[in-house]
Amino acid sequence: MLILVCASILGFASAKSLEARWATCGSLVEVASAEFESVPQDEMVVSGSEVVLSCSLYASPQATISWFFRDQRITNHAPAMVENSLPNRKLGQSLVESRLRIPCVDVHTAGEYTCTATTPCTPPNLFLSASAQVMIAPTNKVSRCNASSSFDSPNPSPSSPFISQFTVSRLEMPGGVIQLMCRAQGNPQPEVTWHRLGEAEELIDITNHHSYMKLSNGDLLVMGDDDKVTESFRCTAKNQHGEDTTDSTIIYVNADEN
């Protein structure tokens, strides 16, 4: 069932026009919107330390989030492209968190970092942005980072998994196709798995379940259940150096409540 839906989505996406995109924007459960729930915070650390910056965004539909360092783009996270390609689809509101891992702060990686966001329904050339400064604390000890820790290194050092963008929650109509994001980084590239969380938060295998499908980028497609009020999932990214996990929750609302 879900595989057939995906095939029709991809066929539609290949021929989708600008008019169809704006038609999607006009059929949202919530009015098209985007606003920060949290913004990156300034950090002062000892040279050689690891730092994680984060920003989170309420948006309808889900947003594209990018990170810039000294005005140069260093990461770009595409939105939930499959669900945004659905014709006549009522997309709800999402809370998405994006995280940036700076593995080693030194004079080359200290400075201003900016989180920017835009949605398919954002007017052209308009976007949200929020910046933070990463600073090196005064100290007599100076640590130097090797070249493999830089953002553009062709030979990055081995590293544990790090989920850099994920869907925290979704407010959705029941019965539709929902794309939960889970984008993982690491060296080697982590393997991503999904489980549904039971009432006691036990992990329930959904590998061969007809209502769920993992995409090649790590995201999960969920065929919304008309009988459920809410359901939660856990994304796990794992390689030989460790693992990282995040949880996502879908809350279903019927049309009469909107």
Side-chain angles (χ1 to χ4, degrees), residues 14-238:
S14 64
K16 192 175 184 185
S17 65
L18 182 62
E19 290 78 11
R21 184 182 116 178
W22 287 108
T24 298
C25 296
S27 65
L28 300 169
V29 173
E30 300 286 335
V31 175
S33 62
E35 62 176 320
F36 281 116
E37 192 268 343
S38 67
V39 297
Q41 301 296 309
D42 291 345
E43 300 280 352
M44 180 171 286
V45 299
V46 174
S47 180
S49 300
E50 177 179 295
V51 168
V52 175
L53 300 177
S54 67
C55 64
S56 58
L57 190 84
Y58 285 109
S60 179
Q62 292 196 68
T64 298
I65 300 177
S66 301
W67 285 90
F68 290 78
F69 173 54
R70 297 175 182 171
D71 297 326
Q72 297 294 317
R73 188 194 303 270
I74 54 175
T75 67
N76 182 54
H77 293 293
M81 296 302 294
V82 173
E83 67 174 32
N84 286 348
S85 298
L86 281 162
N88 303 318
R89 169 79 169 92
K90 290 189 175 295
L91 296 171
Q93 189 176 67
S94 64
L95 174 59
V96 172
E97 181 171 329
S98 182
R99 303 190 296 171
L100 178 71
R101 177 166 65 181
I102 307 168
C104 187
V105 177
D106 64 5
V107 294
H108 301 292
T109 53
E112 184 179 70
Y113 289 83
T114 302
C115 172
T116 68
T118 185
T119 79
C121 301
T122 301
N125 301 320
L126 291 180
F127 54 86
L128 295 174
S129 67
S131 299
Q133 291 286 340
V134 175
M135 300 164 284
I136 300 173
T139 178
N140 293 328
K141 182 179 179 181
V142 178
S143 299
R144 296 187 180 277
C145 304
N146 59 46
S148 62
S149 64
S150 65
F151 295 113
D152 57 356
S153 172
N155 299 300
S157 299
S159 60
S160 61
F162 178 74
I163 296 175
S164 55
Q165 184 158 303
F166 62 99
T167 303
V168 179
S169 62
R170 294 289 299 267
L171 182 67
E172 279 294 337
M173 300 287 287
V177 177
I178 302 156
Q179 186 172 344
L180 299 177
M181 290 190 285
C182 184
R183 314 288 169 80
Q185 301 171 345
N187 186 25
Q189 181 64 33
E191 179 183 359
V192 171
T193 57
W194 284 88
H195 291 82
R196 187 163 59 84
L197 293 176
E199 293 184 2
E201 295 207 356
E202 72 276 15
L203 299 180
I204 301 171
D205 184 26
I206 58 174
T207 305
N208 298 312
H209 197 288
H210 63 86
S211 294
Y212 310 108
M213 178 180 178
K214 193 185 83 169
L215 301 178
S216 59
N217 64 356
D219 291 358
L220 181 71
L221 286 186
V222 178
M223 182 69 75
D225 192 328
D226 292 347
D227 298 325
K228 286 189 175 71
V229 175
T230 182
E231 56 182 334
S232 296
F233 302 86
R234 177 162 296 166
C235 173
T236 301
K238 182 182 295 187

